[in-house]
Amino acid sequence: MMGKRKIVNSVLLHVVLAVLAVIWITPIVWLIVTSFSGYDGMNTSRFFPETWSIRNYTRMLFEPDTVSQFPIWFKNTLVIAIFVCLISTSFVLMVSYAMSCMRFKGRKALMNIAVMLQLFPGFLSMIAIYFILKSVNLTNSHIGMILVYSGASGLGYLVAKGFFDTIPTSLREAAYLEGASEARTFFTIVLPLSRPIIVYTVISSFLVPWTDFVFAKIILNSGISTDWTVAIGLYNMLNRTLIPTYFSRFCAGGVMVGIPIGILFIIMQKFYVEGITGGSVKG
């Protein structure tokens, strides 16, 4: 009786998972096949297009116009993401090391405050941030976006701190006995042993500006399309008057935006998973 019940439960579980997988993957498949369609607009009468073409991709990449300027948007987003990734990764790793390996007055209080601040959604501060940037003439500026994306990144130290907690204290103590400073211990002892968490932090930091739309839309509001990121540019192509002409190109742009992230995850998957699991061992 118990064996039959387990079989039934297993079958039901797999059926539910299969249904959820179909629901999740159907829009992605539709986006991809529509990007290879031979027509410009949206065709809801058929799931698979009658004619196939790579014309949408060549138009997005090599034939920019006043509406579609994908190469410029891609470049803007990539530059912002790279700088944010470098700055945020540095902040997160240094803050995590300080909280994990150094002892100073007020350390626990700072940790608790940082955790509490992380509980508040980021969009609650967007209006205030916008007026602060406006007061210093950094709205409609990629520099302003880089500063804001990177500024609070140190608050996300918790996962990296958990990873640093797993590194044996004896290694750092041996470095101290040899006369190494805190900075040298960090760069020569701790970082070489922290490749998984570094990869995790790099990917996480890169994804924030790469996928963000709401904050970018608020800051880059001048209407100058050459300043837009990919998210804003593709969203603008969904204007009611543009859908009949640009929807298939929008789908092609969505596919191309996802390709670099997919490749990055495939290459770094092993270290990414190790970083998450390693950082969850200790707090």
Side-chain angles (χ1 to χ4, degrees):
M1 187 65 180
M2 292 296 294
K4 291 183 178 180
R5 182 176 297 178
K6 287 183 178 180
I7 294 174
V8 171
N9 291 338
S10 178
V11 171
L12 290 175
L13 177 62
H14 284 81
V15 169
V16 171
L17 292 176
V19 171
L20 293 176
V22 170
I23 295 173
W24 178 79
I25 202 171
T26 297
I28 300 175
V29 174
W30 185 70
L31 179 80
I32 295 173
V33 298
T34 303
S35 71
F36 286 101
S37 65
Y39 46 83
D40 296 329
M42 181 190 301
N43 185 357
T44 57
S45 61
R46 299 174 60 92
F47 187 88
F48 293 98
E50 294 179 346
T51 58
W52 299 81
S53 173
I54 61 170
R55 180 68 172 157
N56 295 315
Y57 289 90
T58 58
R59 284 178 176 177
M60 288 291 284
L61 291 173
F62 306 114
E63 300 176 20
D65 53 31
T66 56
V67 175
S68 173
Q69 302 182 42
F70 186 81
I72 296 176
W73 300 338
F74 191 93
K75 182 197 72 175
N76 293 342
T77 309
L78 184 63
V79 170
I80 293 172
I82 288 175
F83 277 98
V84 170
C85 179
L86 294 174
I87 298 172
S88 297
T89 300
S90 301
F91 282 1
V92 170
L93 294 177
M94 288 189 290
V95 171
S96 302
Y97 176 81
M99 296 302 182
S100 174
C101 304
M102 301 174 66
R103 297 296 180 266
F104 51 90
K105 188 175 181 180
R107 169 178 166 272
K108 289 188 176 180
L110 286 175
M111 291 172 59
N112 293 332
I113 292 172
V115 171
M116 287 189 290
L117 289 175
Q118 285 290 91
L119 298 177
F120 294 93
F123 63 82
L124 292 178
S125 62
M126 284 186 178
I127 302 302
I129 290 173
Y130 171 78
F131 282 107
I132 291 173
L133 292 178
K134 188 176 181 179
S135 66
V136 293
N137 295 320
L138 283 178
T139 54
N140 298 303
S141 166
H142 295 163
I143 295 178
M145 295 185 65
I146 292 171
L147 292 176
V148 174
Y149 282 133
S150 306
S153 59
L155 295 177
Y157 71 92
L158 205 58
V159 175
K161 176 190 176 299
F163 188 92
F164 288 150
D165 287 343
T166 65
I167 297 177
T169 308
S170 58
L171 295 177
R172 291 186 287 108
E173 292 177 346
Y176 297 149
L177 291 175
E178 293 294 328
S181 63
E182 203 72 64
R184 186 170 183 180
T185 302
F186 173 67
F187 286 109
T188 61
I189 303 297
V190 176
L191 284 188
L193 299 174
S194 307
R195 187 183 301 175
I197 201 62
I198 293 174
V199 170
Y200 165 78
T201 307
V202 166
I203 295 177
S204 302
S205 302
F206 186 85
L207 283 177
V208 171
W210 188 263
T211 59
D212 179 64
F213 167 75
V214 177
F215 181 76
K217 182 67 174 177
I218 292 175
I219 301 302
L220 302 177
N221 59 3
S222 66
I224 302 175
S225 59
T226 54
D227 292 338
W228 290 348
T229 61
V230 168
I232 302 174
L234 292 180
Y235 175 79
N236 184 68
M237 295 172 69
L238 293 179
N239 186 289
R240 183 178 299 177
T241 60
L242 299 176
I243 285 180
T245 309
Y246 287 92
F247 185 78
S248 294
R249 272 183 268 183
F250 161 81
C251 294
V255 173
M256 287 188 287
V257 167
I259 289 175
I261 299 300
I263 295 174
L264 189 62
F265 267 101
I266 291 173
I267 295 174
M268 302 293 190
Q269 183 179 15
K270 176 183 176 182
F271 296 115
Y272 186 80
V273 173
E274 288 181 3
I276 297 175
T277 55
S280 64
V281 173
K282 294 182 180 181

